[in-house]
Amino acid sequence: MSEPTGKYSITMPRDIAEAAKARSGPSGLSAYVAAAVARQIERDNLNELITVAEAEHGPITDEEVQALRDQLHQAREQQNQAGANAA
């Protein structure tokens, strides 16, 4: 069962509204805007977690970020190779 919905009035720049309408597709503008707001809430929550973690453990360095990006890139390459070998 889907979440209950409510009707809200929002104001946004016309060009943004028109671009959103053009991209919303068959699901409609309301679903498109709801998905965008949900993504923003996820980002806000993640930023709050990062703030708490950095307060407890200190900020992450650029080198640590790059090392994690490298690990992710290698994992994706391995996954792609495994998928290609299975085909």
Side-chain angles (χ1 to χ4, degrees), residues 17-60:
E18 292 303 318
K21 274 186 186 179
R23 293 179 176 265
S24 64
S27 61
L29 182 59
S30 292
Y32 190 86
V33 171
V37 171
R39 280 191 305 276
Q40 184 62 47
I41 290 169
E42 289 174 354
R43 287 177 142 193
D44 293 344
N45 289 339
L46 182 57
N47 284 334
E48 290 172 8
L49 288 172
I50 290 168
T51 299
V52 169
E54 286 185 340
E56 186 173 333
H57 303 287
I60 191 167

Side-chain angles (χ1 to χ4, degrees), residues 8 12 21 23 31 44 63 67-68 71 73 78 85:
Y8 303 92
M12 70 175 76
K21 274 186 186 179
R23 293 179 176 265
D44 293 344
E63 292 79 18
L68 292 170
Q71 287 178 4
H73 180 72
Q78 291 172 352
N85 292 337

